[in-house]
Amino acid sequence: MTSDSSGKRVTRYQEKMKVLEDTNRAKLQSTDFSHQGFDTTSLMKTAHKSSKQGSLDDTVRWQMHGQISSGSVRSNSITDVTPSFTQDALNALRNKKASGNIVQQEVRIKPHEGGSYEGHLVTVSRVVNHGDVADDKEIGHPKSPHPDNTDIQYDRAHRAPFSLTGAESNKYSTVWAPHYPNIAVDSHMERKALDKFKKYGDNNVFYVAADTHDRSSVGVVYDRGDSEKVQTGGKPRFKSVFANYERKF
C-alpha cells in the first residue's frame, strides 16, 4: 500500500486501475474513432415500441438490410474499406501475429461505474470453422451495469460471436444491447460473415464490433482474393459493410 500526493492510502488494485485508466485515456486521445455504416436507430426504437423484445414487419426489416448493404465499401486496398481503429487488429489477424482468432482492444474508462463513460471497446474476429457446439457457449457479464429500463429487454451481446469463433469467444468482454438490435442487426451481420466465409474461406472474413457508452457498430470485412475472376471481372479485392445503432433508448 502506498500514498498519493494528498496523503490518501492507495491499494495496489487502485494503483493498477489508475495506470489502466491513464493508459486508456492516452490511447483514446491518439485514436481516430467514429461509428460506421447505416444508422438503424430509428427503426430499432420503432421496433421496441410494440414490445420489450421488439418487432418489425418482415418487409421493413428486409428493406433495412438492403439499406445496410447499400453502404458497402469496395477497394483494392484493405485500409480503404476499414476504419483506422480496426486496422492494427486486422493486420495482426491477417498476418497470423495474434495468438488466436480474436483481438479485443479495451479503451474504455471506468465503464463499471455506471452512467456515461469515455472510450470504446473494439473486437475483431477472424471467422473460422471451429466445430464447437451450443453447449460450449458462455456469455460473460458486461463490465457496465445493466441498463435501468424495464420497458426494454436487454441482452448480453456477444462481441466475438460464438457462431463465428466458437468457444474461444467466451473469455472476451461483452456489452448490454436491446434485444431487437441484437437480433435484427448483429445477427444479420453474423449470417453475412458466415455466408462470406463459405465463399472465401480461411483468413479472409472478419467480423468487427465497436462499442461506446451508448452506441454500437457492427460490420463484416472480407478479402475476395486475387483470383483471375476478381482481376478480370474488375471487382475490387476488398469489401466491407457496417451498421450502427444506439443502445440506450
Side-chain angles (χ1 to χ4, degrees):
M1 184 176 291
T2 60
S3 298
D4 64 15
S5 59
S6 65
K8 294 180 180 179
R9 290 187 174 183
V10 181
T11 65
R12 290 181 180 177
Y13 173 76
Q14 289 172 323
E15 286 182 327
K16 181 179 178 181
M17 294 304 294
K18 179 63 168 59
V19 170
L20 178 61
E21 179 183 346
D22 290 344
T23 300
N24 284 347
R25 196 180 300 278
K27 288 180 181 177
L28 176 61
Q29 292 170 351
S30 65
T31 303
D32 183 18
F33 182 90
S34 62
H35 283 286
Q36 306 293 311
F38 177 69
D39 186 352
T40 66
T41 302
S42 61
L43 289 168
M44 296 301 99
K45 287 182 176 180
T46 297
H48 273 284
K49 285 181 179 178
S50 61
S51 68
K52 291 180 67 171
Q53 293 78 25
S55 177
L56 282 178
D57 179 81
D58 286 346
T59 301
V60 175
R61 190 176 71 255
W62 295 334
Q63 288 174 342
M64 178 188 72
H65 291 163
Q67 290 174 297
I68 292 172
S69 295
S70 69
S72 61
V73 180
R74 304 165 182 82
S75 176
N76 282 317
S77 170
I78 193 169
T79 58
D80 290 341
V81 304
T82 53
S84 59
F85 59 83
T86 67
Q87 289 175 10
D88 286 346
L90 278 167
N91 286 337
L93 290 169
R94 293 183 69 230
N95 297 319
K96 304 293 182 70
K97 293 181 179 179
S99 59
N101 295 301
I102 302 165
V103 174
Q104 187 167 75
Q105 298 169 331
E106 171 70 270
V107 196
R108 295 179 296 174
I109 299 173
K110 298 182 178 180
H112 58 283
E113 291 189 352
S116 62
Y117 56 78
E118 296 179 79
H120 55 266
L121 176 71
V122 175
T123 313
V124 181
S125 306
R126 173 172 41 221
V127 183
V128 293
N129 186 16
H130 53 79
D132 295 332
V133 297
D135 288 344
D136 299 321
K137 181 178 180 178
E138 299 174 5
I139 305 180
H141 280 275
K143 290 182 179 179
S144 57
H146 191 284
D148 185 19
N149 186 341
T150 57
D151 295 327
I152 294 176
Q153 177 179 321
Y154 278 86
D155 300 331
R156 291 166 290 171
H158 223 160
R159 309 325 284 149
F162 180 87
S163 63
L164 308 182
T165 58
E168 181 185 352
S169 64
N170 292 340
K171 62 183 179 181
Y172 289 89
S173 295
T174 64
V175 296
W176 294 110
H179 179 75
Y180 199 71
N182 198 18
I183 297 298
V185 182
D186 288 25
S187 293
H188 169 68
M189 287 300 194
E190 291 172 32
R191 288 191 296 271
K192 183 180 289 290
L194 284 173
D195 287 344
K196 300 306 178 185
F197 175 70
K198 291 175 183 176
K199 187 172 184 178
Y200 297 112
D202 291 335
N203 206 36
N204 286 319
V205 184
F206 303 87
Y207 182 88
V208 177
D211 308 291
T212 52
H213 159 63
D214 61 354
R215 186 176 288 271
S216 289
S217 294
V218 289
V220 181
V221 178
Y222 54 98
D223 181 353
R224 297 193 280 197
D226 55 359
S227 67
E228 183 178 352
K229 181 178 180 181
V230 171
Q231 292 176 350
T232 58
K235 291 184 177 180
R237 176 172 175 176
F238 300 99
K239 187 174 180 179
S240 70
V241 60
F242 284 85
N244 72 81
Y245 54 85
E246 289 182 16
R247 295 202 317 278
K248 306 293 178 67
F249 295 169

